[in-house]
Amino acid sequence: MEKLYENCLQCPRKCGVNRKTSLGFCREPDDIRIAVACLHFGEEPLITVHGGSGTIFLTGCNLCCAFCQNYQISQQGMGAVVSKEEFAEICLRLEAAGAENINLVTGSHHIPALAEGLEEARKRGLKLPVCWNSSGYDSVESLKLLDGLVSIWLPDLKTLSAELSKSLCAAQDYPEKAEKALLWMMEHNPLKLTSVEKTVNGEKIRKDKILQGLIIRHLFLPGRFFETADVLEWLKHNADGKAIISLMSQYTPVPFKGSSEELERRKKSLSSIENRLVNDAEDRDLRDLIEAYDFDYLFYQELCADTEWLPDFERIQPFSYKLARPVWHWKSGFIDTKAD
């Protein structure tokens, strides 16, 4: 696996750099770096179920989305190196804390090392299903390394506009590559759902849980209704009945921090959309669109103007305690959760 970093072609960028000595577009070496691992309760209900998703936020990214809420770790390098053994231990600690799955966030640039880490975790007794949570900008050749290790797939389909993806994500070929990746995921991972019951305060609560298959996310970008209509058209034709659709309306302007050059570059990229919260009229239009397409299984968020959920990965608890319970942080290592 290590040789795959010597001429890195892991993602659609195909930088070809030796990541043992240099950095590619993802700005990461051949070491796995992680920002935080936590029980996360803000994912789709099929992912969080009762115990929360065992979410591991990886450092670096092969996209450069101008609106990224996780920019501190995806673009500014916040995180700490972990070995294969440490990665496996993090997975096991999440399982012991009650996680429903292991949820790997933004790992497209580290598939070989993550595959080895997951194999180590399995050897040490990890029983949980693994969820691949990515931008969708994945190489099918690299995804094959995860075959048999990942059973739940949670990719984005950000846009089908090459012009918009070039402006916002620095990847004009994003639509083409994401379509291929999603089609491969669907072909190799048919949907499997189950129902899980838990007694809470004397009341039996039953929830659906995904065991295998895809949940495809799309974030509506303010002022770009027709882009979302195009995405839903593609999903209706290619994914309805084969994957679960998650249409998100929580686009939130992020109070970015960085150099003046970085902030100016981000401002220029964001000029291609309306950098604001989604309004009531857009919410109504999206609901009408959903009703017209009549998807077999679709999630849609309630419109909310709250911005307090935006993370800060400098903090040991990057989220609100309603959203997450940290188990490991890049500054402190493992966190004692027994008191919780």
Side-chain angles (χ1 to χ4, degrees):
M1 292 279 194
E2 287 187 7
K3 290 185 177 180
L4 295 175
Y5 287 95
E6 293 177 0
N7 177 33
C8 189
L9 305 174
Q10 289 184 46
C11 82
R13 299 275 179 195
K14 298 193 181 300
C15 295
V17 304
N18 183 349
R19 284 173 58 189
K20 294 178 177 294
T21 59
S22 305
L23 302 180
F25 184 92
C26 64
R27 299 166 292 280
E28 288 298 303
D30 61 335
D31 296 311
I32 292 180
R33 294 202 300 147
I34 294 174
V36 68
C38 61
L39 293 179
H40 203 297
F41 299 92
E43 304 283 42
E44 285 77 2
L46 292 174
I47 299 289
T48 58
V49 199
H50 295 290
S53 182
T55 310
I56 301 176
F57 289 86
L58 292 135
T59 303
C61 183
N62 65 341
L63 281 183
C64 190
C65 296
F67 53 86
C68 182
Q69 68 191 45
N70 297 339
Y71 76 99
Q72 293 169 305
I73 59 175
S74 64
Q75 299 170 23
Q76 293 185 341
M78 197 174 287
V81 173
V82 297
S83 66
K84 174 176 68 176
E85 292 75 18
E86 288 170 321
F87 174 84
E89 181 63 23
I90 290 171
C91 292
L92 293 169
R93 293 284 187 100
L94 287 166
E95 183 173 46
E100 303 281 354
N101 44 65
I102 300 298
N103 185 343
L104 303 179
V105 181
T106 318
S108 304
H109 54 297
H110 260 318
I111 289 179
L114 290 172
E116 288 186 340
L118 290 172
E119 288 170 354
E120 178 68 17
R122 292 291 187 214
K123 288 178 184 177
R124 294 177 55 182
L126 181 71
K127 299 292 192 300
L128 295 179
V130 176
C131 173
W132 185 250
N133 187 335
S134 83
S135 68
Y137 196 49
D138 289 311
S139 161
V140 170
E141 292 75 20
S142 293
L143 290 177
K144 290 177 181 178
L145 297 176
L146 299 172
D147 208 7
L149 294 170
V150 171
S151 56
I152 302 168
W153 304 81
L154 189 59
D156 293 336
L157 184 53
K158 295 180 182 294
T159 179
L160 293 177
S161 165
E163 178 184 359
L164 189 59
S165 58
K166 179 181 179 181
S167 172
L168 283 178
C169 308
Q172 188 169 356
D173 63 346
Y174 173 85
E176 172 194 352
K177 302 302 182 183
E179 285 181 21
K180 287 181 180 179
L182 267 60
L183 290 171
W184 182 89
M185 293 174 190
M186 277 185 279
E187 181 182 351
H188 289 79
N189 298 271
L191 273 173
K192 291 183 182 178
L193 305 180
T194 189
S195 183
V196 182
E197 186 176 88
K198 183 178 180 180
T199 301
V200 180
N201 297 325
E203 180 184 358
K204 290 183 178 180
I205 299 176
R206 183 168 291 277
K207 294 183 178 182
D208 288 341
K209 177 177 180 176
I210 186 169
L211 299 176
Q212 177 182 291
L214 273 74
I215 299 176
I216 303 173
R217 289 171 164 173
H218 172 69
L219 175 66
F220 170 72
L221 301 173
R224 306 293 297 216
F225 180 80
F226 291 107
E227 268 77 18
T228 288
D230 288 344
V231 167
L232 291 181
E233 177 71 25
W234 188 92
L235 290 172
K236 182 65 180 180
H237 181 72
N238 292 282
D240 194 24
K242 301 176 185 177
I244 291 161
I245 311 304
S246 179
L247 179 58
M248 302 183 294
S249 60
Q250 92 265 20
Y251 181 91
T252 306
V254 177
F256 296 107
K257 297 178 182 178
S259 67
S260 57
E261 180 183 355
E262 181 183 0
L263 293 175
E264 186 59 33
R265 184 170 61 247
R266 196 181 297 278
K267 181 180 178 181
K268 182 178 179 181
S269 295
L270 287 171
S271 66
S272 57
I273 61 173
E274 297 176 21
N275 189 28
R276 56 169 174 77
L277 295 171
V278 176
N279 62 40
D280 290 336
E282 288 169 324
D283 178 61
R284 289 193 295 271
D285 287 342
L286 289 172
R287 291 178 182 276
D288 288 344
L289 194 61
I290 291 169
E291 185 176 353
Y293 276 114
D294 189 26
F295 281 96
D296 185 53
Y297 205 143
L298 179 143
F299 291 111
Y300 181 67
Q301 294 172 313
E302 293 294 326
L303 196 62
C304 178
D306 181 18
T307 62
E308 292 183 2
W309 59 270
L310 286 172
D312 180 0
F313 292 95
E314 282 278 9
R315 297 163 44 203
I316 301 299
Q317 167 55 291
F319 306 91
S320 72
Y321 277 96
K322 181 180 179 181
L323 276 181
R325 182 157 63 97
V327 170
W328 184 96
H329 189 270
W330 69 276
K331 284 184 174 181
S332 64
F334 287 106
I335 299 164
D336 185 7
T337 58
K338 291 180 181 178
D340 297 329

